[in-house]
Amino acid sequence: SQELEQSPQSLIVQEGKNLTINCTSSKTLYGLYWYKQKYGEGLIFLMMLQKGGEEKSHEKITAKLDEKKQQSSLHITASQPSHAGIYLCGADDTMDSNYQLIWGAGTKLIIKP
Amino acid sequence: DGGITQSPKYLFRKEGQNVTLSCEQNLNHDAMYWYRQDPGQGLRLIYYSQIVNDFQKGDIAEGYSVSREKKESFPLTVTSAQKNPTAFYLCASSIFSGVEQFFGPGTRLTVL
């Protein structure tokens, strides 16, 4: 079973609209990573969050980690066709830095022109 | 340009044959990883290596083997003991643990 729950599983959004993807764990997370994947390709690193309440932005994408460090959200503002793809969250659920991350199943984002 | 390369992009093999997937990085990273990705599932760790000549089993190591004779290279062999080898395989590397991993483009293996 997935230890990181991502929602929604898939999302169809009109170009120009905002959207949010969530990543939730029942455990405290000590490092939360967001990646984007084009179908059949490797993962591209987006952002890493570590501190409760932390928020990072890059261009039109903002990622947040809640105060309890159990949930993260990825928000895209004014979506564009280039945002289409699969978004995956990965996390370190141990206090000691760990080589083994846990992963969500991914959210497939489709942008309608 | 620094990065991770995987070859080949697509690989077809007959059932019962061993096959080796290549992964090379020129990022000077100590840690390297092999993941398997199946539709609708997250990444599952097969093996990882923290340093040359050392590697550890991940969650689904059965039917796979690896070697780490050089810092830059971490090949994965899918053996005939792997019951369901058809999947998308991703290689990654990181400077050390607790930081972001950089991924290769992946190899799609189809066993006929």
Side-chain angles (χ1 to χ4, degrees):
Chain A
S1 63
Q2 294 297 334
E3 295 183 62
L4 282 181
E5 294 292 330
Q6 275 190 249
S7 62
Q9 285 186 320
S10 62
L11 193 54
I12 302 174
V13 172
Q14 190 76 41
E15 183 177 351
K17 297 294 186 183
N18 303 340
L19 63 106
T20 299
I21 297 168
N22 294 300
C23 178
T24 304
S25 172
S26 58
K27 306 175 184 179
T28 299
L29 303 173
Y30 296 95
L32 189 290
Y33 305 83
W34 282 102
Y35 287 87
K36 179 185 174 185
Q37 183 182 29
K38 293 284 190 183
Y39 180 76
E41 298 181 9
L43 279 64
I44 304 298
F45 172 72
L46 296 175
M47 278 172 272
M48 176 188 176
L49 304 166
Q50 285 186 300
K51 300 176 184 176
E54 187 174 9
E55 179 176 320
K56 287 186 178 178
S57 294
H58 177 66
E59 297 181 342
K60 295 185 178 181
I61 301 176
T62 300
K64 301 177 185 180
L65 183 62
D66 73 340
E67 290 289 344
K68 291 173 63 178
K69 300 201 294 182
Q70 288 182 302
Q71 181 170 347
S72 178
S73 62
L74 187 80
H75 184 78
I76 299 177
T77 304
S79 58
Q80 300 168 346
S82 60
H83 289 131
I86 300 169
Y87 289 81
L88 293 101
C89 60
D92 185 349
D93 64 350
T94 60
M95 191 176 292
D96 299 323
S97 290
N98 189 4
Y99 289 91
Q100 299 199 56
L101 302 180
I102 55 175
W103 293 89
T107 295
K108 184 177 181 180
L109 174 61
I110 297 171
I111 306 295
K112 282 174 50 178
Chain B
D1 288 335
I4 302 178
T5 57
Q6 289 185 244
S7 60
K9 179 75 171 173
Y10 300 96
L11 191 54
F12 297 88
R13 278 296 182 269
K14 292 183 179 179
E15 195 172 328
Q17 289 182 332
N18 291 356
V19 62
T20 297
L21 282 59
S22 168
C23 177
E24 304 277 332
Q25 55 98 358
N26 61 4
L27 299 167
N28 201 32
H29 286 173
D30 283 321
M32 296 187 75
Y33 315 77
W34 273 107
Y35 291 96
R36 172 179 171 142
Q37 186 178 34
D38 294 284
Q41 296 190 36
L43 304 183
R44 291 186 289 169
L45 184 64
I46 305 172
Y47 270 97
Y48 67 97
S49 169
Q50 301 176 37
I51 199 166
V52 175
N53 292 323
D54 183 62
F55 48 83
Q56 308 294 328
K57 292 182 179 180
D59 298 322
I60 55 166
E62 185 176 352
Y64 300 97
S65 65
V66 293
S67 63
R68 186 88 188 274
E69 297 176 1
K70 298 186 298 181
K71 188 175 186 177
E72 315 82 68
S73 179
F74 191 40
L76 173 75
T77 296
V78 184
T79 75
S80 57
Q82 169 51 232
K83 299 301 181 190
N84 185 20
T86 294
F88 189 55
Y89 291 88
L90 287 159
C91 179
S93 71
S94 64
I95 297 174
F96 39 76
S97 68
V99 296
E100 66 270 26
Q101 297 177 14
F102 293 84
F103 284 80
T107 292
R108 185 166 298 280
L109 172 64
T110 302
V111 175
L112 306 171

